[in-house]
Amino acid sequence: MSGTKPMKDPLDLLDLASVLSDEEREIQATVAKFLADRVRPHIGEWFENARFARELAPELGKLGVLGMHLEGYGCAGTNAVSYGLACLELEAADSGFRSFVSVQGSLSMYSIWKWGSEEQKQQWLPRLAAGEAIGCFGLTEPDFGSNPAGMRTRAVRDGGDWVLNGSKMWITNGGIADVATVWAQTEDGVRGFLVPRGTPGFTTQDIKQKMSLRASITSELHFDDVRLPDSARLPHAEGLRGPLSCLNEARFGILFGAVGAARDSLVAALEYAGSRVQFGRPISAFQLTQKKLADMSVSLGGAALLAVHLGRLKDRGRLRPEQVSVGKLNNVREALAIARECRTVLGANGISLEYPPLRHANNLESVLTYEGTSEIHTLVIGQALTGQAAYR
């Protein structure tokens, strides 16, 4: 086997492309080409300078990835696997771009598409799909992350209006959003509201000094006697079922996206190991390095096949929440381990933004926590296995 040609894509080890349709492969390649041209040459600089390239939003809309798995209203209406593969490529470039697309399509747009009125859909979805408007999703609060039922943000009826007070924390896109989907306690339980930017009493503050998701906007949302008409309420959302359904949509994109971050890290490690010479030979020729590369490739392949399997279940309408938890827990955990191990293959060069593994590892620290922490997903799976809820 000496002298065999090295693999450029570690997913070729299990021939992942063979389980995809021609259309799915074409969509994946189209998204990858866009990112290679418009994002990859600049992402190190954007990460270092904590800059999100908002000007790319209309280009992402033209590409068709914003709300791409939704039907109508200017959305592409692709299958779930195609959407997942787009997320894989987006996160292979940077988690910040996958986060933007996930929040825009699976949280902001999906909340309107699933729970909104026809008037709300017509007003917002075509603009959001085109990237002409940006959305965010306000559920997490400073004191209530894993326990959204305890949220303090409250909406109170006042005649035909609602008056909204409270705050939300760690909100992707918050500082640049044209419309926020905000979840609040009411006398009838949790309800969702659409709050346009510029509404009196609605302010945002971006979170600075982040060590993760630096090429992404993360913000606090504040509501001080924000008066909204009843037409701002999402009429079909009642209770936590509304926001939790949106989170499951976003988690689906994450379980594909994590595969992209891991693959990009491993590609970098393979290329580096093949060119870095120590003791007179490439470090890829040493057994300990090959063990690292082999173990990571096996882990990556399993995560990728799990993602595609869950995508097929989703396309058949059979995907259950606990299965999404399996994918999110496993794939993010494995991706984080791969990114960290790839950094070791690169040695000291691994801490430079010239190479992606440590940037991916830093980003994945956030991905591990948001849309449900690893602990919460573990308990979701535990409940499915035992029938016992262990959240308290």
Side-chain angles (χ1 to χ4, degrees):
M1 295 293 290
S2 177
T4 57
K5 188 176 180 181
M7 286 185 178
K8 292 185 177 180
D9 184 350
L11 289 176
D12 289 344
L13 184 66
L14 296 181
D15 195 12
L16 181 71
S18 68
V19 301
L20 305 176
S21 70
D22 290 341
E23 182 179 6
E24 289 163 350
R25 287 193 292 269
E26 182 178 355
I27 289 172
Q28 182 179 8
T30 300
V31 176
K33 175 65 166 57
F34 171 83
L35 295 165
D37 292 340
R38 301 293 288 122
V39 175
R40 286 185 178 274
H42 314 289
I43 190 58
E45 176 187 350
W46 292 342
F47 185 92
E48 184 172 22
N49 295 327
R51 177 178 181 265
F52 173 69
R54 181 179 181 172
E55 66 273 15
L56 292 183
E59 295 185 44
L60 290 166
K62 186 177 180 180
L63 186 65
V65 299
L66 303 180
M68 64 184 287
H69 57 309
L70 305 180
E71 296 283 349
Y73 307 98
C75 302
T78 66
N79 70 352
V81 171
S82 293
Y83 169 58
L85 293 169
C87 288
L88 186 155
E89 294 299 337
L90 285 159
E91 194 139 3
D94 190 78
S95 299
F97 279 87
R98 199 270 311 141
S99 290
F100 172 78
V101 169
S102 286
V103 169
Q104 182 88 342
S106 292
L107 294 180
S108 173
M109 292 176 68
Y110 183 81
S111 66
I112 300 170
W113 184 86
K114 178 71 174 178
W115 305 112
S117 67
E118 185 60 30
E119 292 74 18
Q120 290 167 338
K121 295 175 186 179
Q122 294 287 353
Q123 178 183 4
W124 288 110
L125 290 180
R127 294 176 59 203
L128 291 165
E132 296 170 2
I134 292 174
C136 69
F137 186 85
L139 179 63
T140 298
E141 297 188 357
D143 296 321
F144 293 94
S146 297
N147 179 27
M151 71 176 71
R152 294 196 181 105
T153 298
R154 188 163 184 84
V156 178
R157 284 188 180 274
D158 184 20
D161 295 341
W162 294 86
V163 178
L164 183 67
N165 281 282
S167 63
K168 301 294 180 178
M169 188 70 167
W170 304 114
I171 308 303
T172 298
N173 301 348
I176 58 173
D178 298 287
V179 62
T181 298
V182 180
W183 301 93
Q185 295 280 9
T186 75
E187 61 183 6
D188 298 319
V190 173
R191 295 291 185 271
F193 299 86
L194 298 182
V195 185
R197 189 174 193 81
T199 302
F202 172 35
T203 58
T204 66
Q205 182 176 352
D206 290 346
I207 297 170
K208 305 293 186 181
Q209 297 181 313
K210 296 184 299 179
M211 297 179 69
S212 179
L213 292 179
R214 291 180 57 79
S216 175
I217 301 293
T218 311
S219 312
E220 298 179 58
L221 311 183
H222 300 279
F223 311 97
D224 185 10
D225 288 334
V226 174
R227 182 169 292 272
L228 301 167
D230 190 56
S231 60
R233 179 176 54 88
L234 295 174
H236 305 300
E238 298 182 359
L240 283 173
R241 179 167 171 257
L244 294 182
S245 69
C246 302
L247 290 176
N248 266 332
E249 290 293 311
R251 290 163 181 160
F252 175 79
I254 289 171
L255 67 89
F256 268 89
V259 175
R263 186 201 66 190
D264 195 58
S265 298
L266 188 48
V267 166
L270 284 165
E271 292 176 350
Y272 185 87
S275 62
R276 174 67 166 172
V277 175
Q278 291 289 284
F279 304 104
R281 60 197 304 202
I283 62 172
S284 61
F286 291 104
Q287 290 184 2
L288 288 179
T289 303
Q290 288 197 4
K291 182 182 188 306
K292 290 181 178 182
L293 298 173
D295 286 346
M296 289 189 288
S297 295
V298 170
S299 176
L300 175 66
L305 291 173
L306 173 60
V308 173
H309 171 65
L310 295 178
R312 299 293 183 220
L313 289 178
K314 185 172 175 58
D315 280 325
R316 295 199 296 268
R318 294 182 54 190
L319 185 62
R320 303 192 304 271
E322 63 268 23
Q323 293 170 329
V324 177
S325 288
V326 170
K328 203 269 187 181
L329 175 66
N330 180 80
N331 287 9
V332 177
R333 183 168 60 190
E334 295 303 308
L336 182 55
I338 288 171
R340 289 170 173 166
E341 187 78 300
C342 286
R343 206 289 304 163
T344 71
V345 175
L346 272 64
N349 284 315
I351 71 168
S352 167
L353 278 174
E354 181 181 352
Y355 300 95
L358 190 56
R359 172 169 55 82
H360 284 308
N362 280 10
N363 285 336
L364 287 166
E365 290 288 353
S366 291
V367 180
L368 186 71
T369 300
Y370 70 24
E371 312 290 0
T373 65
S374 57
E375 292 85 356
I376 290 295
H377 286 295
T378 298
L379 296 181
V380 169
I381 297 167
Q383 182 176 2
L385 291 172
T386 66
Q388 301 292 325
Y391 299 99
R392 292 180 176 84

